[in-house]
Amino acid sequence: MLRKVRALTPIEIHDVEHDTMKSIGGTPFDAPLYGADRKHGTYFNDCKALEVRVVVSNEVAGLLPPQLSMPKGPPIGLIGVASYGSSNVGPYLEQYSGIQACDRSGTVGYYIPYIYVTTNDAALASGREALGAPKKLGHISLVREGDLIQGVLERPLGKRLLTVTAQPNLRFDRSDVSISPSETVFYSVRHLPPVSEAEAGSVTQLVKWRTQRTLKQDSFGAEMAFTGPIALTYDSPSVIDPIFKLGIDEVVMATYQEFDCRLAAIGIV
C-alpha cells in the first residue's frame, strides 16, 4: 500500500534553508554547486594515491607568496595523483604539486601552485572558491597494470604533462611520520579580481588548510601503504600549465596509499 508523502510547510522549508547557511557552499544560495558542513569539513572515502616526495631546485622559492618561506634544509616538493572514490562533491581524480613551505608562525606545510581535477564541476569550484586551490580541469588517470601503477596528467587530451610510474612492491613503514604524516597542512591563494579597472574591491588571501588521513588495513591488519621504484617525467612542458617549474633534483620517496581522508580549513594567514 502506497503512503501519501506529506508536503513541507513554509516553516519547515525555511528551517531547511537556514541549515544550509551553516554549511560551506557557493552560489546560487538557494541551490549551491557544492556543500559541506563546517563542523566536519569535507570527507573523501575509498581513496588511492600515488605520491612522490622530491628534492626540488631552489628556483621554486619564486613561486611562493611573500607570507611563506622555504624551511631550512633541502627544498622539498610533493607530486601526487589521487583517485577519490566518494566525497561531499562526488568521485573524481586529482593531480597536485606542492612546495614545502613555512609560515610566519613556524608551521611547516605545502604550498599548492598547481592542481588539476577531472570533469567534476563541484570539486573544481569548491577548491577554488572555498580554499583558493588553483584547480583546473584536466585528463587524469591512475591505473594498475600487473605490479605497476601509473598516474598521468594531460591538458588538453593528448598533451601529456606528467607521467608517474611506480612499482610499489614493498610495505611502507610509517614510523617516519615526517615522510608520510597522517595530518598535513597546505596553503593556497584565494584571489577575487576587481570587476573593472575603475573599481576597487579585489581581495587576495593566503588560506591555510589541512587534511587528515586514515590508512586502510588489509585482512591481516597491515596498513595499505607501499613503496618501491619510481619513474617521474614531465613529458612535454607547457607555458600554459607550467608544472615543470617544480624542477626535480632528486627523488626521495614514492608511496602508494589507500585511505579515507578529511579536509578542513584552518584560517586566513
Side-chain angles (χ1 to χ4, degrees):
M1 180 178 179
L2 295 177
R3 298 179 62 184
K4 185 176 180 180
V5 178
R6 182 175 60 86
L8 291 175
T9 67
I11 293 178
E12 288 174 311
I13 293 174
H14 173 75
D15 288 342
V16 171
E17 291 176 348
H18 181 266
D19 287 343
T20 63
M21 300 306 291
K22 300 176 184 177
S23 68
I24 302 168
T27 56
F29 294 123
D30 65 331
L33 181 59
Y34 54 87
D37 66 84
R38 297 186 184 276
K39 181 179 179 180
H40 299 96
T42 302
Y43 73 84
F44 302 86
N45 291 338
D46 299 323
C47 307
K48 301 176 181 179
L50 184 59
E51 289 187 339
V52 188
R53 181 182 168 99
V54 298
V55 176
V56 294
S57 60
N58 287 315
E59 286 77 9
V60 300
L63 299 175
L64 297 178
Q67 295 86 354
L68 298 177
S69 59
M70 305 287 288
K72 294 181 179 179
I76 299 297
L78 183 68
I79 299 168
V81 180
S83 172
Y84 306 124
S86 68
S87 74
N88 295 68
V89 293
Y92 65 99
L93 282 87
E94 187 172 75
Q95 192 283 317
Y96 46 90
S97 300
I99 304 168
Q100 194 174 72
C102 181
D103 65 27
R104 292 172 181 172
S105 72
T107 303
V108 176
Y110 287 93
Y111 172 70
I112 303 294
Y114 312 112
I115 184 169
Y116 299 83
V117 299
T118 47
T119 52
N120 181 319
D121 55 358
L124 174 76
S126 61
R128 294 183 72 96
E129 294 177 7
L131 298 175
K135 293 186 175 183
K136 296 181 180 181
L137 292 179
H139 298 273
I140 304 165
S141 63
L142 183 64
V143 297
R144 183 149 204 161
E145 184 175 317
D147 62 343
L148 303 179
I149 298 178
Q150 182 169 270
V152 171
L153 169 66
E154 295 180 295
R155 189 172 187 271
L157 188 64
K159 173 67 172 177
R160 183 174 289 203
L161 302 175
L162 174 75
T163 301
V164 184
T165 306
Q167 188 182 48
N169 51 10
L170 301 172
R171 288 281 181 178
F172 178 65
D173 182 4
R174 284 217 311 163
S175 60
D176 186 353
V177 295
S178 66
I179 293 180
S180 183
S182 59
E183 180 172 312
T184 307
V185 171
F186 294 95
Y187 303 91
S188 49
V189 172
R190 183 166 64 175
H191 177 63
L192 180 68
V195 175
S196 67
E197 293 184 4
E199 297 183 46
S202 65
V203 177
T204 304
Q205 301 167 324
L206 180 63
V207 181
K208 186 176 183 178
W209 43 287
R210 70 167 180 263
T211 61
Q212 296 173 301
R213 287 186 180 183
T214 300
L215 287 176
K216 299 281 191 179
Q217 295 184 348
D218 64 20
S219 57
F220 299 97
E223 291 182 329
M224 296 292 287
F226 303 86
T227 187
I230 182 76
L232 191 156
T233 57
Y234 293 125
D235 300 277
S236 57
S238 169
V239 296
I240 301 170
D241 297 288
I243 61 172
F244 65 89
K245 287 187 177 180
L246 234 70
I248 300 169
D249 287 347
E250 179 187 353
V251 173
V252 178
M253 175 72 70
T255 62
Y256 171 75
Q257 302 177 28
E258 297 186 6
F259 56 93
D260 292 333
C261 179
R262 290 191 303 178
L263 181 153
I266 298 174
I268 297 172
V269 177

